[in-house]
mmCIF file of all heavy atoms in Angstrom:
data_model
loop_
_atom_site.group_PDB
_atom_site.id
_atom_site.type_symbol
_atom_site.label_atom_id
_atom_site.label_comp_id
_atom_site.label_asym_id
_atom_site.label_seq_id
_atom_site.Cartn_x
_atom_site.Cartn_y
_atom_site.Cartn_z
ATOM 1 N N GLY A 26 113.060 74.539 176.813
ATOM 2 C CA GLY A 26 112.101 75.820 176.968
ATOM 3 C C GLY A 26 112.059 76.587 175.670
ATOM 4 O O GLY A 26 111.187 77.379 175.509
ATOM 5 N N LEU A 27 113.054 76.387 174.738
ATOM 6 C CA LEU A 27 113.052 77.090 173.521
ATOM 7 C C LEU A 27 112.183 76.373 172.503
ATOM 8 O O LEU A 27 112.481 75.131 172.284
ATOM 9 C CB LEU A 27 114.520 77.294 173.032
ATOM 10 C CG LEU A 27 114.824 77.935 171.668
ATOM 11 C CD1 LEU A 27 114.452 79.419 171.718
ATOM 12 C CD2 LEU A 27 116.366 77.716 171.319
ATOM 13 N N THR A 28 111.466 77.101 171.687
ATOM 14 C CA THR A 28 110.674 76.387 170.727
ATOM 15 C C THR A 28 111.301 76.799 169.323
ATOM 16 O O THR A 28 111.527 78.005 169.098
ATOM 17 C CB THR A 28 109.230 76.868 170.799
ATOM 18 O OG1 THR A 28 108.658 76.558 172.015
ATOM 19 C CG2 THR A 28 108.405 76.206 169.633
ATOM 20 N N VAL A 29 111.584 75.748 168.575
ATOM 21 C CA VAL A 29 112.043 76.098 167.086
ATOM 22 C C VAL A 29 111.167 75.568 166.179
ATOM 23 O O VAL A 29 110.757 74.370 166.193
ATOM 24 C CB VAL A 29 113.460 75.504 166.880
ATOM 25 C CG1 VAL A 29 113.950 75.933 165.487
ATOM 26 C CG2 VAL A 29 114.421 75.993 168.006
ATOM 27 N N GLY A 30 110.680 76.390 165.309
ATOM 28 C CA GLY A 30 109.626 75.916 164.315
ATOM 29 C C GLY A 30 109.986 76.487 162.988
ATOM 30 O O GLY A 30 111.001 77.180 162.822
ATOM 31 N N SER A 31 109.301 75.968 161.864
ATOM 32 C CA SER A 31 109.605 76.514 160.593
ATOM 33 C C SER A 31 108.304 76.878 159.940
ATOM 34 O O SER A 31 107.236 76.292 160.198
ATOM 35 C CB SER A 31 110.379 75.455 159.747
ATOM 36 O OG SER A 31 109.614 74.264 159.597
ATOM 37 N N ALA A 32 108.384 77.841 159.018
ATOM 38 C CA ALA A 32 107.271 78.363 158.330
ATOM 39 C C ALA A 32 107.750 79.061 157.072
ATOM 40 O O ALA A 32 108.888 79.145 156.820
ATOM 41 C CB ALA A 32 106.509 79.282 159.267
ATOM 42 N N ILE A 33 106.732 79.517 156.219
ATOM 43 C CA ILE A 33 107.093 80.312 155.166
ATOM 44 C C ILE A 33 107.017 81.743 155.592
ATOM 45 O O ILE A 33 105.945 82.255 155.843
ATOM 46 C CB ILE A 33 106.194 80.000 153.977
ATOM 47 C CG1 ILE A 33 106.484 78.479 153.449
ATOM 48 C CG2 ILE A 33 106.497 80.913 152.765
ATOM 49 C CD1 ILE A 33 105.484 78.085 152.364
ATOM 50 N N LEU A 34 108.162 82.421 155.635
ATOM 51 C CA LEU A 34 108.159 83.772 156.144
ATOM 52 C C LEU A 34 108.127 84.714 155.050
ATOM 53 O O LEU A 34 108.478 84.540 153.899
ATOM 54 C CB LEU A 34 109.540 84.050 156.866
ATOM 55 C CG LEU A 34 109.688 83.129 158.164
ATOM 56 C CD1 LEU A 34 111.041 83.491 158.773
ATOM 57 C CD2 LEU A 34 108.555 83.416 159.148
ATOM 58 N N ALA A 35 107.476 85.895 155.305
ATOM 59 C CA ALA A 35 107.317 86.915 154.328
ATOM 60 C C ALA A 35 108.574 87.664 153.765
ATOM 61 O O ALA A 35 109.457 87.736 154.564
ATOM 62 C CB ALA A 35 106.306 87.975 154.965
ATOM 63 N N GLY A 36 108.537 88.124 152.625
ATOM 64 C CA GLY A 36 109.708 88.823 152.020
ATOM 65 C C GLY A 36 110.932 88.105 152.076
ATOM 66 O O GLY A 36 110.962 86.845 151.932
ATOM 67 N N ASP A 37 112.033 88.839 152.418
ATOM 68 C CA ASP A 37 113.359 88.126 152.497
ATOM 69 C C ASP A 37 113.762 87.750 153.903
ATOM 70 O O ASP A 37 114.982 87.668 154.148
ATOM 71 C CB ASP A 37 114.456 88.929 151.776
ATOM 72 C CG ASP A 37 114.506 90.377 152.367
ATOM 73 O OD1 ASP A 37 113.784 90.692 153.348
ATOM 74 O OD2 ASP A 37 115.323 91.169 151.820
#
Side-chain angles (χ1 to χ4, degrees):
L27 174 71
T28 304
V29 182
S31 60
I33 297 174
L34 297 178
D37 58 1

